[in-house]
Amino acid sequence: MTTEITESFTEIYDKLEGWVTSFIHSLPNLLVAVVVMILAFFIARFVNKWTVRLASKKIPQESISKLIGRMSSIFVVCVGLFLALGALDLSKTLNTLLAGAGISGLVIGLALQGTLSNLLSGVVLSFRRRIQLGNWVETTGYAGEVVDINLHSLVLKEFDNGLVIIPNKTIVENPLKNYSLNSKMKIALECGVGYESDLEQVEALVKEAISSVYHQNEGSEIELYYTEFGDSSINFVCRYWVDAKNAKNRLDAKSAGMKAIKKAFDENGVNIPFPIRTLEFNNKIDVNRISTDDKVLQN
C-alpha cells in the first residue's frame, strides 16, 4: 500500500516537473505572444481613430465612419492573435480557429441575411456622391429631404414634416430620382381656354406672362403646346425652366406661373372655362295637362 502511494506521488511530481519544464522552455515564446497582443491592442486603437478621422472626411454619417474604424481595429487584433498563436507554436489551434470562424461566419450570415444586406447597402449609400444629406429625392412612392443615412435605413422628411424610414436594401435595388443634383428644373403647367379664344394671342400672352416672372437663359425657351380639344376648353401645356432644387421650389414656381397667366388672361379678356352642362327641351311642356293628370291621380 505504501509503495503504491509513493509511486502515485512520484508520477504527480514527474507531471508537475514536466509542466514546469515545458513552461520554462516556452516562456520566451509566451512573452513574445504577450508583447504581440499588447502591441496589436495599441495599434488597433490607433488604427481605429485614424480610420474614423479619414472616413469622416468622405462620409458625413458618423455611424458609418465608426463602423469602418471598428472593423479596421478588429482586423488588426485578429492579425495579432494569429501571430501570437504562431509564436506559441499552436498551429493546430490556429487551424481550428480558422475553420470555426468560417463555419460561424456562414451560420451568422444565413441568420442575419437581411440585416447584413441593409448594413452593406448603408455603406454603399454612404459612398455614393449622388445621394447626400439634404438632397430632395423621390423613391418607392415617397418624396422628401434626406435627413439621415445610417447602418440600417435611409430617413426622408416629407412635405408634412413626417419621417419615412426606408431600408437601405430597398434604396439600392430601386430607382431613385434626385432633384438636388441639378440647379434647374423644368415646370409643366397645364391650362385651358375657351373655344372662342384666339390661340395665337393666348400663346403670346402665356409666354409673355411667364417670361416676366422667370427669365429664360440662352439655349432655353418657354414652350407652349396645345394638347386636345376638351369638353369645354382647348387645353394646352406650358413648359419653362426655373432655378429649383427641391419640390417646394417646384411648387413655388408652378404657383407663380399660374398667377401670372391668370392675371394676363383677365387683363385681356381670355376666358378659362369650367365644365358646364346645357339642358335643352325640344318639346314644350303643357302645364294645364300636368294639372289635369295630377287631379286624376288624386281622385
Side-chain angles (χ1 to χ4, degrees):
M1 184 67 178
T2 305
T3 305
E4 294 178 355
I5 295 175
T6 303
E7 291 178 356
S8 299
F9 276 107
T10 303
E11 291 180 1
I12 294 173
Y13 176 79
D14 292 339
K15 289 285 186 180
L16 292 175
E17 185 181 9
W19 290 348
V20 172
T21 303
S22 300
F23 177 75
I24 293 173
H25 283 299
S26 62
L27 187 59
N29 294 336
L30 180 61
L31 291 176
V32 171
V34 172
V35 171
V36 168
M37 288 303 302
I38 293 174
L39 289 176
F41 174 75
F42 285 102
I43 293 174
R45 292 184 61 182
F46 171 77
V47 169
N48 185 15
K49 294 180 180 179
W50 180 78
T51 306
V52 170
R53 189 181 303 110
L54 182 64
S56 61
K57 295 180 181 179
K58 300 291 184 181
I59 306 173
Q61 290 77 25
E62 184 179 359
S63 59
I64 304 297
S65 301
K66 289 183 177 180
L67 173 66
I68 296 175
R70 194 175 298 113
M71 292 175 63
S72 302
S73 63
I74 292 174
F75 176 77
V76 173
V77 171
C78 290
V79 172
L81 177 61
F82 292 152
L83 292 177
L85 291 176
L88 292 173
D89 197 19
L90 297 175
S91 57
K92 293 183 179 179
T93 304
L94 183 60
N95 294 333
T96 303
L97 287 176
L98 290 175
I103 297 174
S104 300
L106 179 61
V107 173
I108 293 173
L110 292 175
L112 302 177
Q113 184 176 3
T115 302
L116 292 176
S117 178
N118 285 324
L119 189 147
L120 294 176
S121 299
V123 176
V124 172
L125 288 176
S126 298
F127 281 99
R128 280 189 177 180
R129 295 185 177 181
R130 295 184 179 273
I131 306 177
Q132 299 292 333
L133 296 180
N135 290 166
W136 192 275
V137 301
E138 181 179 345
T139 180
T140 63
Y142 299 99
E145 178 187 358
V146 179
V147 296
D148 187 25
I149 302 176
N150 53 50
L151 297 179
H152 306 288
S153 59
L154 182 142
V155 183
L156 295 181
K157 181 187 288 186
E158 293 187 304
F159 301 101
D160 56 359
N161 207 36
L163 297 179
V164 180
I165 301 174
I166 306 174
N168 291 328
K169 180 182 178 182
T170 304
I171 300 296
V172 172
E173 294 179 349
N174 289 275
L176 182 142
K177 181 187 291 186
N178 193 338
Y179 293 98
S180 302
L181 293 180
N182 298 316
S183 60
K184 287 189 172 296
M185 186 182 300
K186 178 171 281 191
I187 305 298
L189 182 59
E190 297 180 356
C191 187
V193 294
Y195 276 88
E196 74 284 355
S197 302
D198 184 349
L199 299 186
E200 297 292 338
Q201 180 191 17
V202 169
E203 182 176 356
L205 289 174
V206 171
K207 291 184 176 181
E208 182 180 356
I210 297 298
S211 61
S212 65
V213 180
Y214 295 104
H215 176 71
Q216 302 298 296
N217 296 327
E218 185 177 356
S220 60
E221 60 178 357
I222 300 172
E223 303 173 348
L224 188 143
Y225 303 100
Y226 292 101
T227 57
E228 64 175 345
F229 292 101
D231 295 335
S232 57
S233 63
I234 300 177
N235 300 324
F236 66 87
V237 58
C238 177
R239 303 193 299 182
Y240 53 95
W241 291 95
V242 298
D243 294 327
K245 290 187 176 181
N246 54 50
K248 182 180 182 302
N249 298 146
R250 181 178 61 179
L251 290 175
D252 291 338
K254 193 168 185 178
S255 177
M258 292 178 65
K259 289 189 288 186
I261 292 175
K262 179 64 167 59
K263 181 178 179 181
F265 283 179
D266 290 343
E267 291 177 351
N268 292 272
V270 178
N271 178 37
I272 302 178
F274 52 87
I276 60 175
R277 177 174 295 178
T278 303
L279 300 178
E280 182 178 351
F281 298 97
N282 294 325
N283 298 325
K284 293 182 179 181
I285 300 176
D286 190 348
V287 179
N288 295 327
R289 181 180 177 181
I290 293 176
S291 301
T292 305
D293 293 340
D294 289 340
K295 291 178 180 179
V296 171
L297 291 175
Q298 291 176 0
N299 295 331

